[in-house]
Amino acid sequence: MTFQDLFKKSALELFPDQIEPLTLILTLVIAFLVGMGIFAVYRRCFIGVVYDHALNLSLVIMTLLVAVIIVTISTNITLSLGMVGALSIVRYRTAVKNPLDLMFLFWAITSGIAIDAQYYYIAFVA
């Protein structure tokens, strides 16, 4: 057995073949709850002229979508490499006018990643 075979075998054993339905449901429920928490904090802490309800809803949806993306790419190493390539092409074209809005977007992304990594307490504390 060569080093390359050993590396392939160990890399493939790190990723499970399937997602358990209960784990997926738990991940989505927690992502939704954390997203709603971010929604409430954004609504309460908004300082500005015009409150953007669409941005606030997108924070909840972004938390869910990031959790789903991470679930998807964590189960298959080949798919994860393809997703990284595909997602690197996509970028935001909307200018964010308020730096605080950008921080809320990063908060939603970080929470989605933490939830799928099953660090629920980090997402809740954050």
Side-chain angles (χ1 to χ4, degrees):
M1 180 177 272
T2 66
F3 178 73
Q4 188 175 9
D5 294 333
L6 182 65
F7 181 74
K8 284 180 185 178
K9 182 180 177 191
S10 65
L12 292 175
E13 287 175 355
L14 291 174
F15 299 97
D17 291 336
Q18 293 184 22
I19 304 167
E20 293 184 26
L22 184 61
T23 304
L24 179 62
I25 291 170
L26 181 66
T27 298
L28 291 177
V29 167
I30 292 175
F32 178 75
L33 293 175
V34 170
M36 289 304 292
I38 296 170
F39 179 93
V41 170
Y42 180 82
R43 188 172 194 165
R44 177 84 171 126
C45 297
F46 178 75
I47 300 171
V49 180
V50 179
Y51 169 75
D52 190 3
H53 187 69
L55 175 68
N56 204 359
L57 283 176
S58 71
L59 294 173
V60 177
I61 295 168
M62 184 177 295
T63 306
L64 285 166
L65 287 178
V66 168
V68 169
I69 288 171
I70 299 300
V71 164
T72 305
I73 67 174
S74 68
T75 58
N76 188 334
I77 193 166
T78 309
L79 185 60
S80 67
L81 294 174
M83 273 296 232
V84 168
L87 292 176
S88 67
I89 295 171
V90 178
R91 62 185 183 142
Y92 291 99
R93 299 228 178 236
T94 305
V96 179
K97 296 178 178 92
N98 189 351
L100 188 60
D101 291 348
L102 188 60
M103 291 302 104
F104 275 96
L105 289 171
F106 281 124
W107 184 14
I109 292 169
T110 304
S111 296
I113 293 171
I115 288 166
D116 186 60
Q118 295 179 354
Y119 291 117
Y120 305 123
Y121 60 94
I122 292 176
F124 281 119
V125 170

